[in-house]
Amino acid sequence: MEGREQGEPGAQRGAPLIELVGVTKRFGGRPVLNGLDLAVARGEIFTLLGGSGSGKSVLLKHMVGLLRPDAGRIVIDGRDSARFRERDWVAARRRIAYVFQGAALFDSLSVKENIAYGLREHLALDEAGIDRRVAECLEAVGLAGIEARMPAELSGGMRKRVAVARAIALAPEVILYDEPTTGLDPANARRIGQLIVSLRRELDGTAVIVTHDLDLAFAISDRVGMLANGRLVAVGTCDEIRASRLPEVQEFLAGELEAPAARTGGA
Ligand SMILES: Nc1ncnc2c1ncn2[C@@H]1O[C@H](COP(=O)(O)OP(=O)(O)O)[C@@H](O)[C@H]1O
Ligand SMILES: [Mg+2]
């Protein structure tokens, strides 16, 4: 199908911001990613669909250098990361924020300190500056004023939004969202989807989402890719993916529509 062509319509916006070329990653000899190609264009919302264990989180971790490929290349803003030193990855991670699966807040730290963590590490802000930035980020995710709360006091939806507030603290160009709606009820899931769209607009940024939530994917994505057998078997607009005749895509779409409970299935 037409949608399998990489880079369109994203290519119209210029060179890819993050590109994976022939990436292979094995665990215990078994390839999880197997010659995978993917080009994320600047400014787009790209969503990667795939079943549990298909390698979605592994793929995202390659984009921030938390995992290194066994073969193939990760190219960030035109630079081959094979030549990166650790400090280049540190710099890249300031531009590419990663919202981990399951929020992953520091439970012993207040909401404020969770969000301030990266600010203290990277910026020479005084305490008033930190307070201001934390307040802005909480405001952006619709949670103004909860600085003093502890993560354990928050609902699942609020924890996810605090994780997003932490991710945007350093004004990243790209935000990677790992299963941002998993475990949320439909209303909270929709709120997260709206938040991703509004942040992309406000930061003039790029978003990569991995999920098996079809409602989210088809509501907000510019392009959708389908991960199966270690590769992107289909890439296209929402309409193109919905119309795909590929068995891997049809089976995935049918399975997720029949079993919306899978959305809360972790992984
Ligand atoms: N650090 C690791 N060591 C060994 N196996 C791993 C590691 N990370 C992921 N895997 C395996 O790779 C496969 C894909 O994992 P993952 O990317 O987390 O799947 P998902 O698509 O659900 O996010 C799984 O079989 C998982 O067990
Ligand atoms: Mg995962």
Side-chain angles (χ1 to χ4, degrees), residues 163-186:
V164 173
R166 182 173 60 182
I168 62 175
L170 290 163
E173 291 163 52
V174 188
I175 306 181
L176 313 180
Y177 297 91
D178 198 344
E179 304 269 6
T181 60
T182 297
L184 300 186
D185 59 66

Side-chain angles (χ1 to χ4, degrees), residues 153-227:
E153 300 171 310
L154 307 178
S155 70
M158 290 169 84
R159 291 171 68 91
K160 296 241 182 189
R161 280 145 76 197
V162 171
V164 173
R166 182 173 60 182
I168 62 175
L170 290 163
E173 291 163 52
V174 188
I175 306 181
L176 313 180
Y177 297 91
D178 198 344
E179 304 269 6
T181 60
T182 297
L184 300 186
D185 59 66
N188 270 311
R190 267 195 303 279
R191 201 165 292 146
I192 291 281
Q194 289 159 0
L195 177 59
I196 292 171
V197 172
S198 70
L199 288 177
R200 191 267 300 256
R201 200 171 39 230
E202 279 160 31
L203 297 170
D204 195 20
T206 305
V208 181
I209 305 165
V210 309
T211 188
H212 43 102
D213 182 344
L214 293 180
D215 290 337
L216 176 73
F218 291 142
I220 70 172
S221 307
D222 295 309
R223 289 192 306 152
V224 174
M226 174 78 211
L227 179 61

Side-chain angles (χ1 to χ4, degrees), residues 49-256:
L49 293 171
S52 284
S54 60
K56 301 183 299 298
S57 295
V58 165
L59 191 157
L60 280 192
K61 285 174 187 162
H62 279 81
M63 293 182 173
V64 287
L66 295 177
L67 288 172
R68 306 292 158 88
D70 295 321
R73 291 182 296 138
I74 317 290
V75 182
I76 295 180
D77 221 356
R79 290 180 64 210
D80 186 344
S81 65
R83 286 192 285 275
F84 277 18
R85 295 165 179 241
E86 194 49 40
R87 68 161 183 265
D88 296 309
W89 276 119
V90 171
R93 280 183 214 122
R94 268 197 66 171
R95 302 173 53 201
I96 308 173
Y98 185 6
V99 181
F100 285 91
Q101 197 167 338
L105 301 177
F106 300 111
D107 286 325
S108 61
L109 299 181
S110 67
V111 166
K112 174 190 161 180
E113 288 306 321
N114 264 282
I115 297 167
Y117 197 86
L119 298 173
R120 293 192 196 285
E121 199 169 28
H122 288 287
L123 301 183
L125 286 177
D126 61 14
E127 204 56 27
I130 287 180
D131 284 348
R132 234 182 346 260
R133 185 68 192 139
V134 169
E136 281 168 8
C137 294
L138 281 173
E139 170 97 46
V141 300
L143 291 176
I146 70 158
E147 281 88 341
R149 309 268 284 272
M150 297 301 285
E153 300 171 310
L154 307 178
S155 70
M158 290 169 84
R159 291 171 68 91
K160 296 241 182 189
R161 280 145 76 197
V162 171
V164 173
R166 182 173 60 182
I168 62 175
L170 290 163
E173 291 163 52
V174 188
I175 306 181
L176 313 180
Y177 297 91
D178 198 344
E179 304 269 6
T181 60
T182 297
L184 300 186
D185 59 66
N188 270 311
R190 267 195 303 279
R191 201 165 292 146
I192 291 281
Q194 289 159 0
L195 177 59
I196 292 171
V197 172
S198 70
L199 288 177
R200 191 267 300 256
R201 200 171 39 230
E202 279 160 31
L203 297 170
D204 195 20
T206 305
V208 181
I209 305 165
V210 309
T211 188
H212 43 102
D213 182 344
L214 293 180
D215 290 337
L216 176 73
F218 291 142
I220 70 172
S221 307
D222 295 309
R223 289 192 306 152
V224 174
M226 174 78 211
L227 179 61
N229 307 316
R231 291 174 190 234
L232 282 195
V233 294
V235 182
T237 63
C238 296
D239 286 342
E240 286 167 343
I241 292 296
R242 266 193 287 247
S244 169
R245 315 269 281 258
L246 275 181
E248 293 94 333
V249 177
Q250 289 193 332
E251 277 163 32
F252 181 82
L253 298 188
E256 288 295 312

